[in-house]
Amino acid sequence: MSPFHSLFSKPAAPFVCASDLVDLTCIDSSDDDFGTQFLVKKPKLECDVDDDDVGTTFSNDCAVSELAPTSAYSELSATPNTLMVLTEGRAAASEIAYSFFDLSTTHCTLSQFADGPSYSHTIYAVIACRPQIVLVPRPMAEGKSKAMVAIRRYLPWLVIASLERRLFNDMEGMQLLQAVATPAQAARLAFILECKRYAYAAFNALFHHLEHTASLTFARGGVNVSYHQMEGTMQIDPGAWQDLGLDGENGSDTSLFSVINHTHTKMGSRLLRSSILQPSTDLNTIYARQSAVLEILDNEETFFFLSANLAAIPDIDTAITSLIRMPVASTAKQAGQAISNVLHFKHILQSARAIAAGITFEPQSCLLQETIGGLTDSRTSDLLAHIHSVIREDLAFEKSAQMTRSQRCHAVKGGVNGFLDVSRAIFDRVTQEVVELIEQYSNETQVPIKATYKPSIGYLMSAKREVLGESIPEEFVNVVVKKAVVTFSTIELIKLNNRLASVVTEINLLTEKAIHDVADVIRQNIAVLYRVSEAIALLDMLVSFAHHCTVSESVVPAFSDSINIVDGRHPILEALGGEVVPNSVSTARATFTVVSGPNMGGKSTYLRQIIYLVIMAQIGCLVPAKSATLKVFDKLFVRMSNGSDSIGGSTFLREMHGVAYILHNYSAHSLVMIDELGRSTAAAEGMAICRAVCEELLNSSATVFLTTHYLGLPPALGVHPNCARVVLSATQSEETVAQQRYKAISGAQAEPLYGIHLAERMGLPEDIIRTARAVAAEVGYTKNNSDTKPGGLK
Ligand SMILES: Nc1ncnc2c1ncn2[C@@H]1O[C@H](COP(=O)(O)OP(=O)(O)OP(=O)(O)O)[C@@H](O)[C@H]1O
């Protein structure tokens, strides 16, 4: 669990000053680890802004302040080591800008956009980034900013702190960005951000905070900065994130991400996850990915080569982070890390070129051509040649601590530094003495003794307990018995370890001096490494899409202005094994579909299947169906009846909150999925609200699917020419329930009462079932007439 979990589980996070709240410092977690973490202190509560105060900016003051602590959306876990600076424009139009920074990958994203009165873009941006903490200008935090009210209302668990207004300086931000971004990015961003002064202001505040408050320093010209175009991606509403569990953030193996994730690298998996959370709305991007996947599938040899070899590529982004945040080496540990960085990049560049060489066909797809271009960029070979001018070419990549130490010691070619050569000879001799000493103990005790290595101690000896017996020789010290193995040392061995430690310190410092220039050249060419990283990420994701077609029969989706899926299959049910009943979907004649059917009939599954196929299609993946035509949606809204219940508050309030969010934000190009609306209040009221919401949505061009148990609702809505009806399992009789389940039938159908039948099968006592049937008959429900009751209620 994240050490900061407690901060995020607070029901409503207070506003606090960033300087009070955070010491964003870095702790190197281990010698060879690139991991760093933001240290976050517990917020001080004295800077709290009064909740009521915030609530009063809404016209329906009372309702809002009551609702504020119980949002419609429960807490989403934050991405570790991330920070977002958010600001808003002062003009009448709500202009929002943010700057988001991920310390693990040193990737900074900027965006600026105009938002509507409900601030859906802003909420979506915060949710998509899931920052550990959000920093805003103090007046925004303390005043009556409508954006803040919306954020606190929908995301009450978010940790928000304030920064001095003066830090949000766009001119300084512009200069800073030109200095810290890679030169190519700086040039591109100067063009994109020409009129986006708030994005510059957010960037300035972010970097000022990182470098001055958190005392992090970044190599100039080395930070990966990109601009996020809000318009290019589908907005997935907060309800969908939690109800669908799209990205498997809790390691769930029933998320869309885990089912279609066949990536081999960290970069590929990150790209896939972010693609699922932000599917593209750009048809060119989607088509480009589709043709690249098809080409990979057509070239089996390359497909198998890539599947087998991509895994060898380490996490390039964290390696870059370590390099550009590398302090001037002053300690042996830092010097050791610096050597490892250079060795890492040698390995990365070599592997990237090997991957490109393994693509044996001439790709027609522009995306594949670009990807290969990224891997074979002539600057990668120049960089490699530079590294090999100092580092031994034959050095392979090692992972074990012992081998890493030895590799660092032998990294630099002989003859580069005389002192280094002497120290290395000492290192080899003392290591040989360790081997001989352990052999000697083995001979003396007549027990097979093995050498083990621990980075913090050095060499130790170990033997099987049963072979060593109870009488451990007196000269063995630091004896530890763990299950069947005994580990120990001797004074002689400890002395050798000490000698090794001091000679390694010397070697690391000398080696670091020898490779210092090489590290500088790598840093100056960091843009090449970003390009390699992006190319590997994309290639890995495309190979993963191709892989998915080999485990699930899929088709290339086409796009038009309506959905037409023939025999689509639910990808997660399919991955779980067992039989999946394929179902077709069409919105060609009506954009509003009301889905009904018995309990356990497969209604929610039908909705989920559509959502998953839409997302898969918009990320460029093939979809599990016989044929599929989809529409590009700009927003996805989901309210599932079995969604997350982890937040407090009334079920009805949450439901209404979620539906209000949809009604305020949907557009003609949105996909709206609502499962059993109105279920959590009195039937008459629930039905009335549900129908009113449907009438509103029916008058729009949004694509809507709504499931319901209100038997009178489908016929009532059916009078609209824009409304289609689908019934799950409608044609089956009670006796054939098992055989015909889950089949979606289009058109008006009589719906027998399976609820009572199902209750009977679940073991409710006979007399209860008898009474239930009698009550149903009394209120007018019989097996075959339920459709005839307008409104479905007495
Ligand atoms: N197309 C399908 N193929 C195979 N199994 C399915 C299919 N649809 C549904 N199921 C199975 O039936 C179960 C119940 O489906 P689902 O929850 O979608 O029913 P429902 O109609 O929404 O039920 P309720 O109205 O009681 O909420 C699912 O968990 C799944 O295991």
Side-chain angles (χ1 to χ4, degrees), residues 251 308 445 529 559 755 786:
T445 53
L529 294 162
F559 290 91
S786 43

Side-chain angles (χ1 to χ4, degrees), residues 443-715:
N443 291 337
E444 282 171 12
T445 53
Q446 292 296 300
V447 168
I449 296 176
K450 281 203 302 191
T452 53
Y453 178 81
K454 277 194 174 171
S456 53
I457 298 173
Y459 288 102
L460 287 167
M461 291 178 280
S462 69
K464 283 195 177 150
R465 190 178 178 181
E466 56 178 29
V467 187
L468 194 62
E470 292 306 315
S471 52
I472 294 168
E474 258 179 30
E475 60 183 318
F476 289 2
V477 296
N478 301 339
V479 179
V480 177
V481 182
K482 214 173 186 182
K483 294 187 180 162
V485 178
V486 185
T487 54
F488 47 88
S489 190
T490 62
I491 300 296
E492 200 59 32
L493 185 57
I494 292 171
K495 280 185 191 161
L496 289 178
N497 275 329
N498 289 342
R499 280 179 65 198
L500 274 176
S502 69
V503 75
V504 165
T505 300
E506 206 171 300
I507 291 174
N508 279 350
L509 292 171
L510 288 168
T511 303
E512 199 279 329
K513 265 197 191 129
I515 61 156
H516 195 81
D517 290 349
V518 177
D520 267 354
V521 172
I522 299 177
R523 237 177 257 129
Q524 283 153 21
N525 286 281
I526 210 83
V528 187
L529 294 162
Y530 284 130
R531 193 166 176 215
V532 170
S533 169
E534 280 164 17
I536 293 287
L538 186 59
L539 190 61
D540 195 13
M541 187 175 78
L542 296 171
V543 171
S544 173
F545 289 168
H547 184 142
H548 194 66
C549 298
T550 65
V551 293
S552 164
E553 224 177 303
S554 308
V555 289
V556 182
F559 290 91
S560 84
D561 52 6
S562 62
I563 298 180
N564 191 9
I565 301 170
V566 177
D567 283 350
R569 303 183 310 278
H570 189 294
I572 298 173
L573 273 186
E574 186 173 63
L576 292 176
E579 204 196 329
V580 178
V581 178
N583 272 316
S584 301
V585 183
S586 174
T587 62
R589 292 213 195 97
T591 53
F592 191 108
T593 307
V594 56
V595 183
S596 56
N599 293 99
M600 293 287 287
K603 299 182 294 300
S604 312
T605 308
Y606 183 72
L607 260 57
R608 284 171 191 265
Q609 175 198 308
I610 300 167
I611 298 167
Y612 292 138
L613 265 59
V614 162
I615 293 176
M616 286 172 84
Q618 286 190 223
I619 62 174
C621 186
L622 277 57
V623 299
K626 254 193 194 149
S627 76
T629 301
L630 290 152
K631 179 176 171 175
V632 173
F633 292 103
D634 65 352
K635 295 179 186 177
L636 168 66
F637 299 95
V638 180
R639 292 305 297 165
M640 297 306 286
S641 60
N642 55 353
S644 164
D645 271 340
S646 64
I647 44 173
S650 133
T651 311
F652 180 66
L653 269 192
R654 284 205 309 275
E655 195 187 5
M656 290 305 108
H657 211 157
V659 172
Y661 185 82
I662 295 174
L663 293 175
H664 285 134
N665 295 296
Y666 77 91
S667 70
H669 297 286
S670 299
L671 176 62
V672 180
M673 300 298 215
I674 306 181
D675 197 17
E676 295 180 28
L677 176 59
R679 68 193 176 279
S680 46
T681 188
E685 267 189 334
M687 162 73 190
I689 293 171
C690 182
R691 185 150 168 201
V693 170
C694 291
E695 298 283 352
E696 155 86 14
L697 293 170
L698 269 162
N699 286 328
S700 76
S701 309
T703 305
V704 183
F705 287 82
L706 173 116
T707 71
T708 185
H709 278 293
Y710 295 126
L711 293 175
L713 194 64

Side-chain angles (χ1 to χ4, degrees), residues 753-773:
L753 291 178
Y754 282 116
I756 297 178
H757 174 70
L758 203 59
E760 188 178 18
R761 284 181 25 163
M762 292 300 111
L764 258 69
E766 258 177 44
D767 52 337
I768 301 282
I769 296 296
R770 216 175 307 116
T771 312
R773 286 214 164 100

